[in-house]
Amino acid sequence: MTAPPALQDVYGVPIPPGRPLAQGRHADLLTLGEVRGQVAKVYLAPPPPAQAQKVEELVKVPPHPDVARRLVWPLAALYGPNRQLAGLLLPLLPPQQFQGVRALLRADTRRRSFPEADWPFAVRVGRELALAFAELHAAGHHMGDVRPEHALVSDAGEVRLVGADDYALHLAGRDFAGPVASAEYLPPERQRVGSATGAGADAESDAFGLAVLLFELLLGRHPYAGIQARGAAPGPGEAIAAGLFVDAPQAGPGRRTAPGEWPFAALPPAVQALFVQAFAVPVVPRPSPETWAAALGALAAELVPCARRAGHWQVPGLPCPSCAAEREGPAPSSGEDVTARVQRLWNDVQRVVAPPPSPPVAPVIEAPPLPPLPLALPDKPRGLNHRQQLQLLTWTLRVAVLAALMLGVGLVQRSVLAGLVVPALIVFALTLGRRFAVDWDGLIDRYERWEHDLVRGLLPRRGPQQRYRRAVRRRRAEVKTELAARVAQREELRERYHVENAAALHLREQQALEQRRAHLLSLSAGGSLEALLGRWRERSRQDYLRQQQLSSSGVPGVGPRELGLAVAQGIRTALDVTAERVRALPAPLGRELLAWRRGLEDFFQFDPGAVPRAELNAVQQRGQQHLGDEIETFERAVHAYTNARWDRHEAEISRQLGVVEREIEQYKKALSELRAIKV
C-alpha cells in the first residue's frame, strides 16, 4: 500500500499522507499527517476521463439533506503531479467503531468481528441499510455497484454508505454511471449485459442488490447459494441469471439449502413474500427500500428469545433458526435422549445443599502442650567454660606485658643513662614528636589483633569445653531448622484450608461438573465427524473453485487485456488465484481477482451427501462409543458429588494444625533454653 509521491488540493497546497488505514479494490485509504478527522482515498491508477469528470462534479455539489446522515460524501478532490486526479478527501469514520458490513454476513466472521451481535442486531442493521438506500434514491442517485464494501456498520448498529464515487449519480443535470459492478448482487437483467460494466443501474437494480444483502444479513447465506441439482456448481452470476433462487416456492428438484444453514421458514410469511418477489422469475417490480424498512421494523418488534437455548431468537410460532441449523447440520448433535439424560443428572447436582461459608481462618483443635524437647547435649564439663577461659588468658597476657614493661623501666633506671634517656624521650615526645603524625588507633588495633591471635593459639582446641561448645551450637542449628520447617508446614496447612474447606470444595467440584456438562452437551455423537467433514468440505471447495473459469465478463474491471495478464501468470480458474501469483500483476487487477475468489468462497455451499456413507458410519460408531463412555464418567462424578462429605478435609487439617502449633511451641522453648546456655 503506497501513496503517490505528492498529494495536493485544488489550490496546490501540499497534503502529506500518513499511515495506511485500509485497502480497497481500486484505492487505498490513508490518514493525513497533520489533519485530524479526515482521510485520503488514493486511487491505485488514474481514473478514466468519464470517472474523473464525475468526481470533479461530485465534490462541487454538497450532500443532499436526505443523505447527509447516512452517506459519507467526499469533501474535496486530491491531485498528483501535473494536476492529475489522484483521489478524494473524506471525513473519517473511527475504525474502532465502524467495520465493513461483510463481517455480519457469515456466522464465522460475525463471531469474530461482532461477538455481541445477535439476530435482532442483524435485523436492525438491515433496517438501517434499507433506510440508507431510500435516502440515496430520494436524492436522485443509485448505488449501481451494490456490494458489502460500500456499507459500514458500527457496534451500535448505525450504517454509513461509502464509496460514493463508484455510484451511479445524477449531478449537474447529467447521469454518471459507475465504473464496475459485482456479479453477486446484480439482477438477472444486468447479468445478461455483463457484470464488468456499471451501465444500466437504476432503482430496480439497487432493489435486487439490497434484497441479496438483506437475505445474507438475516440468514447468513447468499439466496442463490445452495445444493444444486445433478451436482451443478454455477457461480453467483450464472445462478442469478438462471433464476436459481434456492428457497423459491417452485424450486426445481434437487435444489435445496445446505445442511446446517438457517432455514427460510424461520422468517415471517410477510418477509418471505418480499424475498420471493425480489428474486422472482420472470422479473416483477421488486420491493422498495421503504418497504423493506417497514417490514424489518415489524420483524424486530416480533422477535423473542428462544425457549430452548439462551442467546437464540425466533419469531413466535416459527422455528428458531439457530436450533434448526444445529439439528439439521452435517454433524449430528448428541440427540434429545443424551440431552435429557444429562439434564436429569444435572438436576441431581442442583438439589445438593451447599455447605455454609467456612471461617476465614482455619480452626485449631485444642490439646495439652507437648513435653519439653530433649536437648540431647553431652554432660557439661567442670571448670571454666570457653568464654571464661578466653577472658582469663586475655587478662593474664595483659598483666604479663605490663609487668615486662615495668621490669624493663626498672632495669633502665639503675643504669647511668636512665636519668638522661627517660627525660630525653619525654622532651622529644612533647616537642619534636608532635610534628610527626602517629597513628595511635592503628597501633592499638594491631596490638589487639596480636593479643587475640596469641590467646586463641594458647587455648586448647580439643578439650571438653570446646567439644561441649560445638555440640551446643550444632543443636541450636538443628532446632532452628526444625522450627522453620514447622512454621512452613503451618502456612501450607493454612493455604490448604482455604482450598479444601467445605465451601471451597463444594464450589470447585460443582464447577468441574458444570464444565463436564457443557462438554457433553456440545459433544458430537460422531466423534471425529467434524474432521472428516472438514476434509471433504475443503476438497469440495477446491473442486468448486477449479470449475469457475476466469472470463472478462465474470470479474469486475477485467477486460481482454487484463485477462491476458492473468493467464500469463497461470491464472485460469478461481483456484489459481493466490497471493503469490497476483503479486506480479498490477495492484488493481490483483485485488479484483482476490475479491472475486473471496466472493466465490462465500458463495460456495458444501453438500455432506458427497461423503461416502461407509466413512460416515465408521466415524459415527466411534463417536457413539466415546459419547457413551463420557456419559458414564459423568454419572460416576455426579454420584460422588451427591454423596460427598464436604467437611471431610477440614477436621484433618485442624488436627494437623493443632499438632504443628504444639510442635512450634516446643521447639521455641528448646531454642530459648539453648540460647541461655553460656559456652
Side-chain angles (χ1 to χ4, degrees), residues 645-676:
R645 284 187 62 251
W646 304 115
D647 59 348
R648 60 183 182 271
H649 297 307
E650 283 190 6
E652 178 62 20
I653 293 174
S654 297
R655 186 192 66 79
Q656 294 182 17
L657 268 175
V659 173
V660 171
E661 289 285 1
R662 285 181 291 162
E663 289 180 349
I664 288 175
E665 292 299 323
Q666 185 187 42
Y667 278 96
K668 283 183 176 179
K669 291 179 180 179
L671 187 60
S672 299
E673 293 178 11
L674 289 170
R675 287 174 175 170

mmCIF file of all heavy atoms in Angstrom, residues 645-676:
data_model
loop_
_atom_site.group_PDB
_atom_site.id
_atom_site.type_symbol
_atom_site.label_atom_id
_atom_site.label_comp_id
_atom_site.label_asym_id
_atom_site.label_seq_id
_atom_site.Cartn_x
_atom_site.Cartn_y
_atom_site.Cartn_z
ATOM 1 N N ARG A 645 -18.964 -35.803 51.571
ATOM 2 C CA ARG A 645 -18.903 -35.052 52.831
ATOM 3 C C ARG A 645 -17.959 -33.878 52.596
ATOM 4 O O ARG A 645 -16.747 -34.047 52.461
ATOM 5 C CB ARG A 645 -18.382 -35.932 53.966
ATOM 6 C CG ARG A 645 -19.396 -36.917 54.511
ATOM 7 C CD ARG A 645 -18.863 -37.635 55.746
ATOM 8 N NE ARG A 645 -18.590 -36.714 56.847
ATOM 9 C CZ ARG A 645 -17.370 -36.393 57.266
ATOM 10 N NH1 ARG A 645 -16.309 -36.902 56.678
ATOM 11 N NH2 ARG A 645 -17.205 -35.553 58.268
ATOM 12 N N TRP A 646 -18.531 -32.672 52.542
ATOM 13 C CA TRP A 646 -17.734 -31.519 52.147
ATOM 14 C C TRP A 646 -16.727 -31.115 53.215
ATOM 15 O O TRP A 646 -15.722 -30.471 52.904
ATOM 16 C CB TRP A 646 -18.658 -30.342 51.823
ATOM 17 C CG TRP A 646 -19.666 -30.684 50.781
ATOM 18 C CD1 TRP A 646 -21.012 -30.748 50.926
ATOM 19 C CD2 TRP A 646 -19.398 -31.051 49.425
ATOM 20 N NE1 TRP A 646 -21.612 -31.132 49.754
ATOM 21 C CE2 TRP A 646 -20.634 -31.318 48.809
ATOM 22 C CE3 TRP A 646 -18.236 -31.186 48.671
ATOM 23 C CZ2 TRP A 646 -20.747 -31.711 47.485
ATOM 24 C CZ3 TRP A 646 -18.335 -31.575 47.347
ATOM 25 C CH2 TRP A 646 -19.574 -31.832 46.768
ATOM 26 N N ASP A 647 -16.984 -31.500 54.485
ATOM 27 C CA ASP A 647 -16.052 -31.126 55.552
ATOM 28 C C ASP A 647 -15.045 -32.230 55.842
ATOM 29 O O ASP A 647 -14.423 -32.248 56.907
ATOM 30 C CB ASP A 647 -16.825 -30.782 56.826
ATOM 31 C CG ASP A 647 -17.678 -31.958 57.310
ATOM 32 O OD1 ASP A 647 -17.831 -32.939 56.544
ATOM 33 O OD2 ASP A 647 -18.187 -31.893 58.445
ATOM 34 N N ARG A 648 -14.881 -33.152 54.883
ATOM 35 C CA ARG A 648 -14.014 -34.301 55.147
ATOM 36 C C ARG A 648 -12.555 -33.896 55.310
ATOM 37 O O ARG A 648 -11.785 -34.599 55.958
ATOM 38 C CB ARG A 648 -14.144 -35.326 54.026
ATOM 39 C CG ARG A 648 -13.768 -34.827 52.641
ATOM 40 C CD ARG A 648 -14.019 -35.909 51.594
ATOM 41 N NE ARG A 648 -13.639 -35.517 50.247
ATOM 42 C CZ ARG A 648 -14.428 -34.904 49.392
ATOM 43 N NH1 ARG A 648 -15.664 -34.588 49.773
ATOM 44 N NH2 ARG A 648 -14.017 -34.586 48.175
ATOM 45 N N HIS A 649 -12.157 -32.803 54.753
ATOM 46 C CA HIS A 649 -10.764 -32.370 54.872
ATOM 47 C C HIS A 649 -10.561 -31.392 56.019
ATOM 48 O O HIS A 649 -9.442 -31.257 56.523
ATOM 49 C CB HIS A 649 -10.303 -31.714 53.568
ATOM 50 C CG HIS A 649 -10.299 -32.643 52.391
ATOM 51 N ND1 HIS A 649 -9.656 -33.851 52.402
ATOM 52 C CD2 HIS A 649 -10.871 -32.535 51.159
ATOM 53 C CE1 HIS A 649 -9.820 -34.455 51.237
ATOM 54 N NE2 HIS A 649 -10.566 -33.681 50.468
ATOM 55 N N GLU A 650 -11.611 -30.690 56.424
ATOM 56 C CA GLU A 650 -11.450 -29.651 57.444
ATOM 57 C C GLU A 650 -10.970 -30.231 58.768
ATOM 58 O O GLU A 650 -10.060 -29.687 59.410
ATOM 59 C CB GLU A 650 -12.770 -28.905 57.643
ATOM 60 C CG GLU A 650 -13.090 -27.909 56.551
ATOM 61 C CD GLU A 650 -14.265 -27.030 56.919
ATOM 62 O OE1 GLU A 650 -14.738 -27.137 58.070
ATOM 63 O OE2 GLU A 650 -14.709 -26.238 56.072
ATOM 64 N N ALA A 651 -11.579 -31.353 59.229
ATOM 65 C CA ALA A 651 -11.204 -31.935 60.522
ATOM 66 C C ALA A 651 -9.748 -32.384 60.516
ATOM 67 O O ALA A 651 -9.001 -32.141 61.475
ATOM 68 C CB ALA A 651 -12.128 -33.110 60.849
ATOM 69 N N GLU A 652 -9.326 -33.019 59.435
ATOM 70 C CA GLU A 652 -7.939 -33.483 59.365
ATOM 71 C C GLU A 652 -6.968 -32.305 59.348
ATOM 72 O O GLU A 652 -5.915 -32.333 59.998
ATOM 73 C CB GLU A 652 -7.757 -34.348 58.120
ATOM 74 C CG GLU A 652 -6.337 -34.852 57.897
ATOM 75 C CD GLU A 652 -5.856 -35.758 59.019
ATOM 76 O OE1 GLU A 652 -6.702 -36.299 59.767
ATOM 77 O OE2 GLU A 652 -4.627 -35.906 59.162
ATOM 78 N N ILE A 653 -7.322 -31.240 58.602
ATOM 79 C CA ILE A 653 -6.445 -30.064 58.565
ATOM 80 C C ILE A 653 -6.368 -29.419 59.946
ATOM 81 O O ILE A 653 -5.285 -29.016 60.403
ATOM 82 C CB ILE A 653 -6.955 -29.068 57.511
ATOM 83 C CG1 ILE A 653 -6.791 -29.661 56.105
ATOM 84 C CG2 ILE A 653 -6.209 -27.746 57.602
ATOM 85 C CD1 ILE A 653 -7.388 -28.806 55.007
ATOM 86 N N SER A 654 -7.500 -29.320 60.660
ATOM 87 C CA SER A 654 -7.490 -28.735 62.006
ATOM 88 C C SER A 654 -6.654 -29.583 62.960
ATOM 89 O O SER A 654 -5.912 -29.049 63.797
ATOM 90 C CB SER A 654 -8.922 -28.609 62.522
ATOM 91 O OG SER A 654 -9.670 -27.724 61.711
ATOM 92 N N ARG A 655 -6.768 -30.912 62.850
ATOM 93 C CA ARG A 655 -5.967 -31.783 63.718
ATOM 94 C C ARG A 655 -4.478 -31.588 63.452
ATOM 95 O O ARG A 655 -3.668 -31.453 64.384
ATOM 96 C CB ARG A 655 -6.362 -33.239 63.487
ATOM 97 C CG ARG A 655 -5.690 -34.225 64.449
ATOM 98 C CD ARG A 655 -5.878 -35.646 63.985
ATOM 99 N NE ARG A 655 -5.181 -35.888 62.734
ATOM 100 C CZ ARG A 655 -3.862 -36.106 62.645
ATOM 101 N NH1 ARG A 655 -3.100 -36.075 63.731
ATOM 102 N NH2 ARG A 655 -3.302 -36.322 61.467
ATOM 103 N N GLN A 656 -4.094 -31.561 62.162
ATOM 104 C CA GLN A 656 -2.682 -31.380 61.832
ATOM 105 C C GLN A 656 -2.185 -30.002 62.266
ATOM 106 O O GLN A 656 -1.040 -29.862 62.712
ATOM 107 C CB GLN A 656 -2.475 -31.564 60.332
ATOM 108 C CG GLN A 656 -2.731 -32.980 59.837
ATOM 109 C CD GLN A 656 -2.470 -33.129 58.355
ATOM 110 O OE1 GLN A 656 -1.814 -32.293 57.746
ATOM 111 N NE2 GLN A 656 -2.993 -34.198 57.766
ATOM 112 N N LEU A 657 -3.038 -28.982 62.147
ATOM 113 C CA LEU A 657 -2.634 -27.649 62.597
ATOM 114 C C LEU A 657 -2.378 -27.638 64.096
ATOM 115 O O LEU A 657 -1.425 -27.001 64.579
ATOM 116 C CB LEU A 657 -3.720 -26.632 62.244
ATOM 117 C CG LEU A 657 -3.587 -25.924 60.897
ATOM 118 C CD1 LEU A 657 -4.796 -25.047 60.642
ATOM 119 C CD2 LEU A 657 -2.321 -25.087 60.849
ATOM 120 N N GLY A 658 -3.233 -28.347 64.865
ATOM 121 C CA GLY A 658 -3.011 -28.411 66.309
ATOM 122 C C GLY A 658 -1.689 -29.057 66.656
ATOM 123 O O GLY A 658 -0.944 -28.579 67.526
ATOM 124 N N VAL A 659 -1.353 -30.146 65.971
ATOM 125 C CA VAL A 659 -0.075 -30.823 66.219
ATOM 126 C C VAL A 659 1.093 -29.903 65.879
ATOM 127 O O VAL A 659 2.064 -29.779 66.643
ATOM 128 C CB VAL A 659 -0.013 -32.131 65.411
ATOM 129 C CG1 VAL A 659 1.373 -32.755 65.522
ATOM 130 C CG2 VAL A 659 -1.076 -33.105 65.884
ATOM 131 N N VAL A 660 1.006 -29.232 64.729
ATOM 132 C CA VAL A 660 2.106 -28.367 64.302
ATOM 133 C C VAL A 660 2.266 -27.185 65.251
ATOM 134 O O VAL A 660 3.394 -26.786 65.586
ATOM 135 C CB VAL A 660 1.862 -27.896 62.852
ATOM 136 C CG1 VAL A 660 2.867 -26.825 62.462
ATOM 137 C CG2 VAL A 660 1.961 -29.068 61.889
ATOM 138 N N GLU A 661 1.160 -26.591 65.700
ATOM 139 C CA GLU A 661 1.254 -25.462 66.627
ATOM 140 C C GLU A 661 1.951 -25.878 67.924
ATOM 141 O O GLU A 661 2.798 -25.147 68.460
ATOM 142 C CB GLU A 661 -0.147 -24.920 66.933
ATOM 143 C CG GLU A 661 -0.814 -24.190 65.774
ATOM 144 C CD GLU A 661 -0.227 -22.809 65.546
ATOM 145 O OE1 GLU A 661 0.708 -22.427 66.281
ATOM 146 O OE2 GLU A 661 -0.690 -22.111 64.623
ATOM 147 N N ARG A 662 1.618 -27.059 68.451
ATOM 148 C CA ARG A 662 2.267 -27.520 69.688
ATOM 149 C C ARG A 662 3.748 -27.806 69.455
ATOM 150 O O ARG A 662 4.594 -27.523 70.306
ATOM 151 C CB ARG A 662 1.550 -28.768 70.207
ATOM 152 C CG ARG A 662 0.193 -28.453 70.851
ATOM 153 C CD ARG A 662 -0.468 -29.702 71.379
ATOM 154 N NE ARG A 662 -0.892 -30.575 70.293
ATOM 155 C CZ ARG A 662 -1.187 -31.866 70.436
ATOM 156 N NH1 ARG A 662 -1.070 -32.432 71.620
ATOM 157 N NH2 ARG A 662 -1.578 -32.580 69.411
ATOM 158 N N GLU A 663 4.079 -28.352 68.290
ATOM 159 C CA GLU A 663 5.492 -28.603 67.998
ATOM 160 C C GLU A 663 6.263 -27.295 67.869
ATOM 161 O O GLU A 663 7.427 -27.202 68.282
ATOM 162 C CB GLU A 663 5.610 -29.423 66.717
ATOM 163 C CG GLU A 663 5.144 -30.869 66.869
ATOM 164 C CD GLU A 663 5.281 -31.647 65.577
ATOM 165 O OE1 GLU A 663 5.535 -31.004 64.537
ATOM 166 O OE2 GLU A 663 5.136 -32.879 65.595
ATOM 167 N N ILE A 664 5.621 -26.271 67.289
ATOM 168 C CA ILE A 664 6.296 -24.971 67.174
ATOM 169 C C ILE A 664 6.604 -24.412 68.561
ATOM 170 O O ILE A 664 7.720 -23.912 68.821
ATOM 171 C CB ILE A 664 5.420 -23.999 66.351
ATOM 172 C CG1 ILE A 664 5.418 -24.413 64.873
ATOM 173 C CG2 ILE A 664 5.917 -22.563 66.494
ATOM 174 C CD1 ILE A 664 4.499 -23.587 64.005
ATOM 175 N N GLU A 665 5.641 -24.482 69.486
ATOM 176 C CA GLU A 665 5.891 -24.006 70.845
ATOM 177 C C GLU A 665 6.988 -24.823 71.512
ATOM 178 O O GLU A 665 7.841 -24.285 72.241
ATOM 179 C CB GLU A 665 4.595 -24.083 71.665
ATOM 180 C CG GLU A 665 3.523 -23.107 71.219
ATOM 181 C CD GLU A 665 3.995 -21.667 71.344
ATOM 182 O OE1 GLU A 665 4.723 -21.362 72.314
ATOM 183 O OE2 GLU A 665 3.660 -20.853 70.465
ATOM 184 N N GLN A 666 6.988 -26.132 71.263
ATOM 185 C CA GLN A 666 8.016 -26.994 71.850
ATOM 186 C C GLN A 666 9.409 -26.600 71.363
ATOM 187 O O GLN A 666 10.358 -26.481 72.156
ATOM 188 C CB GLN A 666 7.704 -28.452 71.488
ATOM 189 C CG GLN A 666 8.636 -29.470 72.126
ATOM 190 C CD GLN A 666 8.369 -30.862 71.587
ATOM 191 O OE1 GLN A 666 8.154 -31.037 70.395
ATOM 192 N NE2 GLN A 666 8.376 -31.855 72.482
ATOM 193 N N TYR A 667 9.543 -26.366 70.059
ATOM 194 C CA TYR A 667 10.855 -26.009 69.514
ATOM 195 C C TYR A 667 11.267 -24.598 69.918
ATOM 196 O O TYR A 667 12.460 -24.316 70.092
ATOM 197 C CB TYR A 667 10.836 -26.146 67.991
ATOM 198 C CG TYR A 667 11.039 -27.572 67.520
ATOM 199 C CD1 TYR A 667 9.963 -28.386 67.214
ATOM 200 C CD2 TYR A 667 12.316 -28.102 67.405
ATOM 201 C CE1 TYR A 667 10.142 -29.690 66.796
ATOM 202 C CE2 TYR A 667 12.510 -29.406 66.982
ATOM 203 C CZ TYR A 667 11.421 -30.201 66.682
ATOM 204 O OH TYR A 667 11.623 -31.495 66.277
ATOM 205 N N LYS A 668 10.315 -23.682 70.064
ATOM 206 C CA LYS A 668 10.664 -22.342 70.532
ATOM 207 C C LYS A 668 11.238 -22.377 71.946
ATOM 208 O O LYS A 668 12.230 -21.698 72.252
ATOM 209 C CB LYS A 668 9.425 -21.439 70.487
ATOM 210 C CG LYS A 668 9.047 -20.949 69.097
ATOM 211 C CD LYS A 668 7.864 -20.003 69.174
ATOM 212 C CE LYS A 668 7.544 -19.434 67.803
ATOM 213 N NZ LYS A 668 6.376 -18.516 67.852
ATOM 214 N N LYS A 669 10.620 -23.175 72.834
ATOM 215 C CA LYS A 669 11.132 -23.276 74.200
ATOM 216 C C LYS A 669 12.521 -23.909 74.216
ATOM 217 O O LYS A 669 13.413 -23.469 74.952
ATOM 218 C CB LYS A 669 10.169 -24.099 75.046
ATOM 219 C CG LYS A 669 8.835 -23.403 75.312
ATOM 220 C CD LYS A 669 7.910 -24.286 76.142
ATOM 221 C CE LYS A 669 6.579 -23.593 76.405
ATOM 222 N NZ LYS A 669 5.649 -24.459 77.190
ATOM 223 N N ALA A 670 12.712 -24.944 73.386
ATOM 224 C CA ALA A 670 14.026 -25.587 73.335
ATOM 225 C C ALA A 670 15.084 -24.618 72.833
ATOM 226 O O ALA A 670 16.213 -24.576 73.351
ATOM 227 C CB ALA A 670 13.963 -26.823 72.443
ATOM 228 N N LEU A 671 14.734 -23.797 71.829
ATOM 229 C CA LEU A 671 15.699 -22.836 71.304
ATOM 230 C C LEU A 671 16.034 -21.779 72.355
ATOM 231 O O LEU A 671 17.199 -21.349 72.467
ATOM 232 C CB LEU A 671 15.127 -22.180 70.041
ATOM 233 C CG LEU A 671 16.070 -21.268 69.267
ATOM 234 C CD1 LEU A 671 17.308 -22.029 68.803
ATOM 235 C CD2 LEU A 671 15.360 -20.645 68.058
ATOM 236 N N SER A 672 15.048 -21.370 73.133
ATOM 237 C CA SER A 672 15.325 -20.403 74.204
ATOM 238 C C SER A 672 16.274 -20.995 75.237
ATOM 239 O O SER A 672 17.196 -20.314 75.725
ATOM 240 C CB SER A 672 14.011 -19.975 74.865
ATOM 241 O OG SER A 672 13.162 -19.343 73.934
ATOM 242 N N GLU A 673 16.075 -22.274 75.588
ATOM 243 C CA GLU A 673 16.970 -22.916 76.546
ATOM 244 C C GLU A 673 18.390 -23.013 75.994
ATOM 245 O O GLU A 673 19.373 -22.783 76.711
ATOM 246 C CB GLU A 673 16.445 -24.308 76.885
ATOM 247 C CG GLU A 673 15.124 -24.298 77.655
ATOM 248 C CD GLU A 673 14.626 -25.703 77.930
ATOM 249 O OE1 GLU A 673 15.407 -26.656 77.707
ATOM 250 O OE2 GLU A 673 13.465 -25.858 78.352
ATOM 251 N N LEU A 674 18.525 -23.341 74.721
ATOM 252 C CA LEU A 674 19.859 -23.463 74.129
ATOM 253 C C LEU A 674 20.562 -22.108 74.068
ATOM 254 O O LEU A 674 21.784 -22.021 74.229
ATOM 255 C CB LEU A 674 19.752 -24.066 72.728
ATOM 256 C CG LEU A 674 19.382 -25.558 72.674
ATOM 257 C CD1 LEU A 674 19.075 -25.977 71.245
ATOM 258 C CD2 LEU A 674 20.530 -26.403 73.228
ATOM 259 N N ARG A 675 19.798 -21.055 73.796
ATOM 260 C CA ARG A 675 20.408 -19.727 73.755
ATOM 261 C C ARG A 675 20.828 -19.252 75.142
ATOM 262 O O ARG A 675 21.727 -18.409 75.270
ATOM 263 C CB ARG A 675 19.434 -18.735 73.138
ATOM 264 C CG ARG A 675 19.272 -18.899 71.631
ATOM 265 C CD ARG A 675 18.194 -18.003 71.085
ATOM 266 N NE ARG A 675 18.119 -18.085 69.623
ATOM 267 C CZ ARG A 675 17.139 -17.553 68.896
ATOM 268 N NH1 ARG A 675 16.146 -16.894 69.507
ATOM 269 N NH2 ARG A 675 17.145 -17.680 67.582
ATOM 270 N N ALA A 676 20.189 -19.778 76.178
ATOM 271 C CA ALA A 676 20.536 -19.369 77.543
ATOM 272 C C ALA A 676 21.813 -20.041 78.042
ATOM 273 O O ALA A 676 22.387 -19.613 79.052
ATOM 274 C CB ALA A 676 19.378 -19.684 78.481
#
